[in-house]
Amino acid sequence: MEELINSPEYQKILPYIYILLSGFILLLFLLIYLSILGRKTLLLIKKENRCVTPEQSWLLLLPFFHIYWNFIFMRRLVDSLNNEFYDRKEEVEENPTQMNGYFYAWSFLVLNLPLPAFIFFVTFLLTIVSIILYIAKINEYKKQLESSPRLDNSF
C-alpha cells in the first residue's frame, strides 16, 4: 500500500483528486443551500397556493433520488410561484424559475451518466454554474415575495 502511495503515478494525480473532492464539497454545499432557500421560499407562499410542502425540499439531499426529485421539485416550485403571484396580482415572467430549473435538472442528470473524463468535467462545471443561476433566480423571487404585501382576504 505504501508503495502505491509513493509511486510517481499516484503523486501525479493527487492534485486532481483534491480539486475533484473540493468540487463535490462545493456542490454539496450548494445543494444544502438550495434546499434551505426552497424551504424559505415555500414558507412565504400561502398554503393553498403551494404545490409542494416546504419539508419536501429536503428530499433534494437524498442521493440518487435527487436526480428524479430535481424535476418534480422544480416544476412544483414554478407552479407554486405562479399561483402566489397570481393571487397577489403581481406581474412576473411566465413560469418563474422554470428555465433555470430545467437547465440545472438536466445538467445534473447528465452529470450522473457514465461519461469520459473530459465530458464529465465540462458537465460538472455546467452543473455548478446552473445551480448557482437557479439559486440566484429563486432568491430573486423570494425577495420579491418578502417585499410585496400579501393580499389576505380574511378580515
Side-chain angles (χ1 to χ4, degrees):
M1 183 68 171
E2 198 168 308
E3 289 177 15
L4 176 67
I5 293 174
N6 293 330
S7 70
E9 293 86 20
Y10 182 79
Q11 295 300 320
K12 212 185 289 185
I13 65 167
L14 194 59
Y16 299 109
I17 292 173
Y18 290 138
I19 291 170
L20 192 62
L21 186 61
S22 301
F24 281 114
I25 290 171
L26 173 65
L27 185 61
L28 179 63
F29 280 125
L30 288 171
L31 285 173
I32 291 169
Y33 186 70
L34 176 63
S35 298
I36 292 169
L37 184 65
R39 183 178 185 282
K40 286 181 178 181
T41 304
L42 286 167
L43 287 173
L44 294 171
I45 297 173
K46 286 190 277 186
K47 195 176 246 182
E48 60 267 13
N49 289 333
R50 293 182 199 152
C51 298
V52 63
T53 65
E55 292 75 28
Q56 289 176 329
S57 67
W58 295 108
L59 294 174
L60 290 171
L61 299 177
L62 293 177
F64 301 114
F65 181 72
H66 172 76
I67 300 166
Y68 163 75
W69 189 247
N70 273 331
F71 291 96
I72 303 301
F73 182 77
M74 180 275 309
R75 185 68 235 168
R76 290 181 183 174
L77 180 63
V78 168
D79 292 339
S80 299
L81 287 170
N82 271 336
N83 294 343
E84 184 67 17
F85 285 123
Y86 180 79
D87 271 3
R88 292 183 183 202
K89 296 178 180 27
E90 286 188 39
E91 278 193 42
V92 293
E93 68 180 84
E94 187 177 341
N95 298 324
T97 73
Q98 181 176 352
M99 187 178 72
N100 296 91
Y102 271 130
F103 182 54
Y104 165 63
W106 280 106
S107 66
F108 194 83
L109 173 69
V110 172
L111 180 68
N112 286 282
L113 298 175
L115 300 168
F118 177 74
I119 296 173
F120 174 82
F121 180 71
V122 170
T123 308
F124 184 76
L125 290 178
L126 275 174
T127 302
I128 295 291
V129 168
S130 65
I131 193 172
I132 290 171
L133 292 174
Y134 186 44
I135 286 171
K137 200 63 153 170
I138 292 174
N139 198 35
E140 176 185 324
Y141 286 107
K142 179 183 162 282
K143 287 180 181 178
Q144 190 172 347
L145 286 171
E146 289 172 336
S147 66
S148 66
R150 228 186 212 181
L151 296 176
D152 288 330
N153 294 334
S154 56
F155 285 85

